[in-house]
Amino acid sequence: MKTEKSLFNEKLIDACSLSSKIIFDGTYHKSGIKGAVTTAYLRESAAEKLCCIANSLPPEMMIKIFDAWRPYEVQLELYRRYFFDISTKAKNQNLSVRALHKLAQEFVSFPDKSKTLSYVHSSGGAVDLTIVYKNGKSVNMGTEFDDFTERSHTDFFSTDTNIGKNRQFLKSIMQEQGFTNLESEWWHYDFGDIFWSQKTGNEVIYSSIFELNSSVIKEAK
């Protein structure tokens, strides 16, 4: 499949503006991380696909976005925090700094501004999300967002369990619109970025955007 050239330069748009069935949790902003955005920015096509997914859900269900496009300074802070956390664990005390960085990057990518394809949340095609009911209750996915353990692996729970079925339901509706899942994180989905490219064999569509400015944002109509 050849990538549509017209998608390469798509701007970021507020995904929540496209459907009343998409809400933004703003997890990192609420936790006080400097620079965290209060808007669920995604590239136009990714946002439109997510809108189709949300509108196809049963009336009582909605999509809740934890995080979408992420600024450089936020990614750097998340990496620093996770690196510090694992470096202080007793089981990791004998690891070298290099080994610790390798371990940290299993869950949190190191941001590199020298690359046109850096951490996937800079692309505008990566999104962290779940399904919630309109009363605010979350569909049971077995762990919280950013639970960096084996329990967060999408297929950790058997499909014979409710949690396993819920995760597979989310995966199926996202895949129907062309998103791919990061197997280690049930909440993480990609379209047009490097993870998506590796899974589908298609050319990467979206390069990194590290900071917001008027040239990269499209105002919703």
Side-chain angles (χ1 to χ4, degrees):
M1 182 181 107
K2 293 184 178 180
T3 300
E4 291 286 342
K5 297 291 184 183
S6 60
L7 302 186
F8 284 9
N9 296 314
E10 282 189 329
K11 294 186 177 183
L12 299 172
I13 190 170
D14 178 7
C16 298
S17 69
L18 303 184
S19 174
S20 60
K21 295 190 68 174
I22 302 175
I23 59 175
F24 185 47
D25 181 68
T27 303
Y28 297 135
H29 176 74
K30 290 195 298 187
S31 65
I33 294 180
K34 183 181 178 181
V37 295
T38 57
T39 304
Y41 288 117
L42 286 173
R43 298 278 189 153
E44 296 169 62
S45 291
E48 289 167 0
K49 288 175 178 293
L50 193 60
C51 176
C52 291
I53 293 166
N55 292 340
S56 71
L57 288 172
E60 71 277 10
M61 290 181 171
M62 306 172 68
I63 291 291
K64 180 169 78 172
I65 297 175
F66 297 117
D67 191 42
W69 175 81
R70 186 183 300 163
Y72 171 84
E73 64 177 322
V74 174
Q75 183 69 22
L76 184 59
E77 178 61 19
L78 291 174
Y79 186 83
R80 285 172 174 166
R81 290 187 180 193
Y82 188 54
F83 181 85
F84 176 78
D85 180 58
I86 63 172
S87 67
T88 57
K89 293 186 182 300
K91 65 180 180 180
N92 297 329
Q93 291 307 297
N94 293 324
L95 295 180
S96 66
V97 172
R98 182 177 181 179
L100 286 169
H101 277 294
K102 184 177 180 180
L103 182 62
Q105 290 179 65
E106 289 182 9
F107 278 103
V108 183
S109 298
F110 181 80
D112 187 346
K113 274 190 173 181
S114 70
K115 296 180 178 179
T116 57
L117 300 176
S118 190
Y119 60 100
V120 291
H121 276 281
S122 66
S123 69
V127 60
D128 298 328
L129 49 71
T130 191
I131 303 172
V132 297
Y133 295 102
K134 285 191 173 180
N135 63 7
K137 184 178 180 181
S138 296
V139 170
N140 186 5
M141 295 294 182
T143 73
E144 298 297 321
F145 169 55
D146 272 0
D147 181 306
F148 296 145
T149 67
E150 288 186 354
R151 292 172 62 84
S152 290
H153 293 186
T154 305
D155 295 333
F156 181 83
F157 292 94
S158 167
T159 52
D160 292 333
T161 66
N162 286 333
I163 293 172
K165 290 176 182 176
N166 291 340
R167 290 185 181 188
Q168 292 306 313
F169 174 67
L170 176 60
K171 185 177 179 179
S172 67
I173 61 175
M174 294 296 290
Q175 287 182 331
E176 284 175 6
Q177 284 294 325
F179 286 90
T180 58
N181 173 240
L182 179 63
E183 293 94 339
S184 58
E185 300 176 357
W186 62 260
W187 56 79
H188 182 102
Y189 286 86
D190 301 277
F191 176 77
D193 62 23
I194 192 167
F195 284 178
W196 173 86
S197 174
Q198 291 169 350
K199 288 283 187 69
T200 64
N202 296 322
E203 185 178 355
V204 174
I205 302 173
Y206 305 131
S207 57
S208 291
I209 296 172
F210 296 112
E211 298 173 355
L212 290 180
N213 58 62
S214 59
S215 69
V216 300
I217 299 175
K218 178 179 180 180
E219 296 296 332
K221 295 180 180 179

